[in-house]
Structure formats: C-alpha cells, structure tokens
Amino acid sequence: MNIFSGARELRRLRELVGILLRYGFDDLVQWLGMEGRADLLGRWFNRELPADVRRQPPEVRARMALEEMGPTFVKFGQILATRVDLLPPEWIAQLEELQDHTRAIPFYQLKPQIEASLGCRLADCFSAVDEQPVGTASMAQVHRATTLAGEEVVLKVRKPGIDAVIQSDLHLMRQLAEIAEAQSPEMRRYQPVEIMQEFERSLMRELDFSIEARNADRMRENLRGLGFIKVPKIYWEWTSEDLNVQEFIRGIPAKRVDELDAAGMDRKLIARHGAQAVWKMMLEDGFFHADPHPGNFIILPGNRIVMLDFGMVGRLTPTRRDQLVRLIRCVLLQEPENATGVLVEWAGGRFVNREALNAEVASLIERFDGVPISELDVSGLLNDVAAILRNHAVRLPSDITLLVKACVTLEGFGRLIDPDFQLMEEAAPLLKKTLVGRYSPKMLAKSFRVRALDVVERLYNPSAPLFGNGSERAPVAPVLDPGELERLVNRLEKASHRQSRAILLAALFIVSGLLTQLPSGPHVLGMHVLGLLSLMGCTVYWWWMLLTIWWTERGHRS
C-alpha cells in the first residue's frame, strides 16, 4: 500500500529517490518497497556522475546527496554529525562538512516579512538597512542596519515560505523513518523514528529565532563573571519568531589567524579563554554552546572573545553532570565496574550484556592508567565510549552526544588558534573542584539524607523504586527536617517492635493452651497448673500492651 498522498509529495519523493539512485544508494529503494521500479527510476535519472565522484566512499557520496536534497536534509545531516554513538568517525567527519548551498533572496522579497514582524515600516525603526546580505543560509539571511539612535545591528530574517517547505519535508521523512524501521532489522536497531522525532524538535527550535535570542540572554547572564567573554545584546522590541535583531560587533573573525597576529593578539591566551568559557558552561552551568567552531567567535582588542549563534545549545542536568564526573573519576582511578554502571544508566533501561560491556570498558580505561587529569583526552574517551555502546546497539543520550560534538569542535578551534592547545588543561581545575565538591562533607550529608528519605518512602510505598530506576534518580519524598525524620523513624521502629511482641504473645497463648492439657501433675479446674499460670501471665502481658498502646496514642492526640 502506498502511504504517500498528494501529487506534490509524490513528486518530492521521486526527486529524493532519484538523487539516492544517482549517488549509488540503491539499497535505500528496497526499504521504500520500490525495488520493482528501481530500473525505471534509474532511467528517469540517468545523468552520469563524474568518475571521480563514483569512486568516492559512501560517506562522501552521502554528504553530496544530502546537499542536493535541500535545506531540511542538510540540517538533518548536521544533526547526525553530533551522533557519534550512531555513526563511525569517517561519516561524522563528512557530515560536519555539510554546507547550505543557497543563493541570496533579493531584499525586496524580504522587506514585507520584516515589516510584518516589526509591525511598522522599516524607516520607522532603522535609519539605514544594507540590502546586500552579510550572510545567507538555507533558512535565514542576515543584513546589517542602523537604528534611529545610531546603533549598529544585524537583522537575521527567516526566509519566506521556508517553514512550509520544511514541514512538508519533515512529514515525508517521518513516513520514510517508519518504513525503514518496519522493513529493515538493521535500521531498527538505530531507532530511526525516535531519531526523527529528536531531529524535528531540534529543527523546530532552530526555526524559532526568539528561542535563539533567549539562549543568548541566558548565556550572557551565565558568563557575566568572565570579563573576557561578550555576547551580543538582543533588541527584544524588534525580535520575534521569524526575526532576530541583535547588536553588531566589529572584530576579527577567529579563523583569520594572520589578522590576529597582525593585530598583536595573544593566540594562546585566546584559546585558553575560549576553553575556560565553554568548560564553565558545561561543568558549572549545564547550558553550553553546542557548536563552538571558529566561525562563531569574533576576537576583540585585549584578547576578548565575542560568542555568536546560539541556535544549537546543549543542556546537562545535575544528574547528567554527576554521571560525567563519575565516569571521569572511574577512568582516573581505574574502576571499570563503576564506569560500566554509568554506561548502563546511559542505556536508559535498554537491555545490555553487562558482563561483556564491563570487559570492553576495562580494556578501554586501561589505556588511561596513570594519565593525569590535565592530559586526559576527554573527547577521545567519550568517542570510544560511544563506539562501545554502538557495538551493544545502545545510543548515547542526546545531551551527551552534543557534549562530545562540542568537545571535538572546541579542540579543533583551539588547535587552529594555538597548535599546542590542550583541551583538558583548562578543564582540569574545574573538574578537580567538582570532584572535591562532590565528596565534601556537606554533599555527603545531603546524599545520605536523600537516601534515608528514599528508604522511608519505600517503607510507605513498597512499589516505589529504591534509589532511582537505573538512569535517573527516582523522585523522593518531600524534604523533612532532621528532627521530624528522627521522630518518624522512631515511630516506625516502635511499630515494628509491637508487631514482634504481638506475634510472640500469640505463640505463647498457643503453647499455654497446650500445657493446660498435660495429663500428669497438679490440676485446677481440669487444667494443668503450669499451663494455667502461663495463660494468666500472657493475659497480664496482653493487657499491659493494650494500656501502653492507648497511652501512646493518647499522647500523640494531645
């Protein structure tokens, strides 16, 4: 049955299939259930590629095919470039080279949309607008302007109609992902439907320029204490979902190394400043720039750095940061079992052969035996971890894959600026601070209290998971003060003791009843004296227990 509907969608599908066939990806046609028409499609798209292209490895041809498919697929490839847990390094390297090959839209076509977003004429907000773009991409175009107050700004404008094109492509990609997952066991292990959902969420966030603007404001606030970092100001009175107006800052692009030298900049210090800022975002703030490549940095006098483009950001929860620190500690202290535990948590409940995983982890961390923290290759370590999990058909959490991508990109930026750059040199002080803080008396006391509350919650709710579900810490009971907690535990202990005494008393009553039936010895009222005395003692103890319980409950009520 053909699940694709609509003439436009069918034409787009035929176009995409033709591109795949031209670049030698015939096996993908089989996943679409169109193997019987492959020859016909091949005749429709019979343009021959140059011989040097045909001889290229599949990852190179895949990059070329994605670029020809258009902006949605280019963005998809760029997102896949962050998934080191799904693809081998050679594929990641090629996908990172994906570029948007688009021509600029004439400004007169953009002007009506800009004025609709502003709610007024351009002349009412800006004294001048440069109609020649300073940058263009598949989804947006950037123009310089000057406000009526004389401030220089840039206008990042979403291209008209691009959201409809992307929505149409996304609908088609969702259907293709469902087909691939249903018909290919090999593809099913990579969960293409789930990957597609993640991509769609990411792309929708990138399409909303107000989200990027909020990211910039948050980043500026987090980095306020670092005097060598600057984030452009957002003009919120003009910024909206399809228009981002921000401060224009003059400086030297970080990738122009010769200009930095000519201006007398200290490249080693610039590389250190960039690393310090990114590590602070990752390890302290849990909110980081996920694409720190040289094109997103401008250098100002005094070796100051301007950070640009916050469309792609990563977030690390306190739990995830704790897992990352634990993994690094396990590598440094050679604790393979505990390192395996972190990876099992990252598996998110998916089945993992723990014994086999532990053997691979032990082999991995042996390579880092004796390596000081300042020389630890954290990006290489996480890449190796991703490869191990890939062997077990387990995907890394998406926030960790963004972290890996950011580390690799940051290392490339640092090496471009300073060939002797060591990524972990700037991370080492923060990691040591984090490790010391994690095992400080205050944190240990807090951890003990949380676990004590987990135990109490388990007593009241036996079905509640103890100490979390293996990937995230389970919710705990509301925080109690130490005095209240102690009183609660005392009441639980007393209740347990009463239950034990009641069971013992019931057993004594049974034994006493048996003793009254002894045939030999003194008897009173037809009962053996020993059994009768025992029954009287049990009865007295029973009344004493009732009185104690009544008195205790009376005290609580008062």
Side-chain angles (χ1 to χ4, degrees):
M1 182 177 65
N2 187 359
I3 65 172
F4 302 101
S5 58
R8 178 181 299 177
E9 189 168 302
L10 286 171
R11 284 196 300 269
R12 179 61 170 155
L13 176 62
R14 190 181 70 176
E15 177 186 351
L16 296 177
V17 170
I19 293 172
L20 291 173
L21 287 171
R22 285 204 305 273
Y23 283 92
F25 293 101
D26 306 69
D27 52 345
L28 292 179
V29 178
Q30 297 179 1
W31 290 339
L32 298 175
M34 303 173 67
E35 55 268 41
R37 284 171 277 178
D39 292 337
L40 176 60
L41 287 168
R43 288 193 296 272
W44 283 352
F45 300 96
N46 58 4
R47 285 189 300 170
E48 288 291 332
L49 290 176
D52 58 336
V53 175
R54 290 199 304 271
R55 289 194 296 266
Q56 293 291 340
E59 60 271 16
V60 176
R61 290 184 281 112
R63 172 180 59 78
M64 294 177 174
L66 288 171
E67 288 175 343
E68 191 171 334
M69 287 176 179
T72 310
F73 292 87
V74 168
K75 290 296 179 185
F76 182 62
Q78 291 171 348
I79 295 296
L80 280 181
T82 69
R83 299 313 305 249
V84 295
D85 55 325
L86 298 179
L87 300 171
E90 59 272 17
W91 279 79
I92 297 294
Q94 282 298 317
L95 293 176
E96 286 177 338
E97 296 181 11
L98 280 168
Q99 301 294 328
D100 295 333
H101 299 296
T102 59
R103 289 181 295 179
I105 293 179
F107 187 75
Y108 72 85
Q109 295 182 15
L110 290 177
K111 185 177 179 180
Q113 178 170 308
I114 297 175
E115 291 184 334
S117 299
L118 293 172
C120 62
R121 296 183 306 121
L122 274 173
D124 295 335
C125 300
F126 305 103
S127 60
V129 178
D130 188 352
E131 295 189 1
Q132 293 299 317
V134 295
T136 183
S138 57
M139 296 196 305
Q141 199 161 292
V142 181
H143 292 260
R144 285 179 54 190
T146 304
T147 69
L148 297 178
E151 298 173 310
E152 290 187 294
V153 298
V154 292
L155 313 179
K156 184 176 180 180
V157 189
R158 191 167 71 192
K159 290 185 174 180
I162 191 65
D163 50 343
V165 173
I166 288 177
Q167 289 288 359
S168 177
D169 276 351
L170 286 175
H171 180 250
L172 184 59
M173 292 173 72
R174 282 194 298 268
Q175 294 177 320
L176 295 176
E178 291 170 1
I179 293 173
E181 188 163 302
Q183 298 190 187
S184 170
E186 179 64 22
M187 287 294 293
R188 194 175 303 131
R189 63 181 294 201
Y190 295 110
Q191 300 173 306
V193 172
E194 187 174 335
I195 292 174
M196 185 59 218
Q197 291 170 348
E198 291 179 7
F199 167 62
E200 187 170 355
R201 287 193 295 268
S202 175
L203 190 55
M204 289 300 99
R205 287 195 297 267
E206 196 169 344
L207 269 175
D208 188 344
F209 292 169
S210 65
I211 293 178
E212 179 183 348
R214 286 195 294 272
N215 291 340
D217 277 354
R218 180 175 174 182
M219 205 74 72
R220 186 187 313 106
E221 183 63 29
N222 289 347
L223 299 175
R224 189 178 298 278
L226 301 182
F228 50 81
I229 296 293
K230 180 175 178 60
V231 176
K233 170 189 173 183
I234 302 295
Y235 289 79
W236 279 105
E237 62 268 33
W238 298 316
T239 294
S240 62
E241 181 179 331
D242 54 10
L243 177 65
N244 183 356
V245 182
Q246 59 182 275
E247 176 185 8
F248 173 73
I249 301 176
R250 297 180 185 274
I252 302 174
K255 57 186 175 182
R256 298 180 185 172
V257 178
D258 293 341
E259 293 185 26
L260 294 177
D261 290 337
M265 301 290 188
D266 186 342
R267 287 199 275 147
K268 288 184 179 292
L269 185 58
I270 292 171
R272 288 186 56 197
H273 282 170
Q276 287 174 15
V278 175
W279 281 121
K280 180 187 182 300
M281 295 183 227
M282 292 177 180
L283 297 177
E284 287 191 356
D285 305 330
F287 183 76
F288 61 92
H289 196 307
D291 195 19
H293 64 76
N296 285 334
F297 293 92
I298 294 175
I299 310 303
L300 301 179
N303 302 305
R304 298 174 65 215
I305 301 174
V306 179
M307 300 181 67
L308 306 172
D309 192 358
F310 300 96
M312 183 182 292
V313 296
R315 295 169 176 80
L316 293 175
T317 63
T319 298
R320 195 71 80 208
R321 277 176 276 162
D322 180 71
Q323 291 169 342
L324 185 63
V325 171
R326 281 163 49 204
L327 179 64
I328 293 175
R329 185 211 67 189
C330 292
V331 171
L332 295 174
L333 300 182
Q334 296 291 293
E335 300 174 345
E337 292 82 4
N338 292 332
T340 301
V342 174
L343 302 193
V344 170
E345 292 177 24
W346 284 355
R350 296 184 179 89
F351 172 76
V352 178
N353 185 332
R354 185 158 185 154
E355 184 177 350
L357 179 62
N358 189 67
E360 294 187 54
V361 170
S363 177
L364 168 63
I365 69 174
E366 277 181 9
R367 305 206 312 261
F368 298 94
D369 190 11
V371 175
I373 190 172
S374 60
E375 298 178 13
L376 181 65
D377 181 7
V378 68
S379 56
L381 169 66
L382 292 174
N383 269 315
D384 290 340
V385 166
I388 289 175
L389 290 180
R390 192 161 59 241
N391 292 338
H392 290 263
V394 173
R395 294 168 46 206
L396 275 176
S398 57
D399 48 5
I400 295 295
T401 62
L402 274 179
L403 174 74
V404 177
K405 172 67 164 56
C407 286
V408 172
T409 307
L410 177 62
E411 193 163 28
F413 163 65
R415 294 280 170 82
L416 174 68
I417 302 296
D418 173 21
D420 299 323
F421 175 74
Q422 292 292 331
L423 179 63
M424 287 300 292
E425 282 187 4
E426 301 307 321
L430 275 175
L431 278 172
K432 289 178 180 177
K433 176 183 174 182
T434 305
L435 284 168
V436 170
R438 187 176 190 272
Y439 299 106
S440 66
K442 180 179 178 181
M443 290 301 296
L444 290 175
K446 180 180 178 181
S447 178
F448 178 78
R449 183 177 67 175
V450 169
R451 279 157 175 75
L453 290 172
D454 280 344
V455 173
V456 172
E457 178 68 17
R458 183 64 180 268
L459 290 172
Y460 275 99
N461 182 14
S463 63
L466 190 61
F467 303 145
N469 61 8
S471 59
E472 300 287 346
R473 177 171 288 126
V476 297
V479 177
L480 304 174
D481 61 74
E484 182 65 23
L485 179 61
E486 184 177 357
R487 287 192 294 272
L488 179 59
V489 172
N490 287 338
R491 291 190 66 187
L492 289 172
E493 289 179 348
K494 289 179 181 178
S496 177
H497 292 162
R498 288 197 198 109
Q499 186 178 26
S500 299
R501 290 197 298 267
I503 294 173
L504 177 61
L505 182 60
L508 287 174
F509 266 116
I510 294 172
V511 171
S512 300
L514 294 174
L515 289 176
T516 60
Q517 303 303 313
L518 289 175
S520 59
H523 285 68
V524 176
L525 300 177
M527 295 181 291
H528 197 282
V529 173
L530 182 59
L532 187 60
L533 292 175
S534 181
L535 281 173
M536 293 172 62
C538 289
T539 302
V540 172
Y541 186 70
W542 177 62
W543 279 106
W544 177 81
M545 279 185 60
L546 291 178
L547 181 63
T548 302
I549 294 171
W550 172 80
W551 187 262
T552 302
E553 293 300 322
R554 180 175 178 271
H556 282 304
R557 286 194 297 271
S558 62

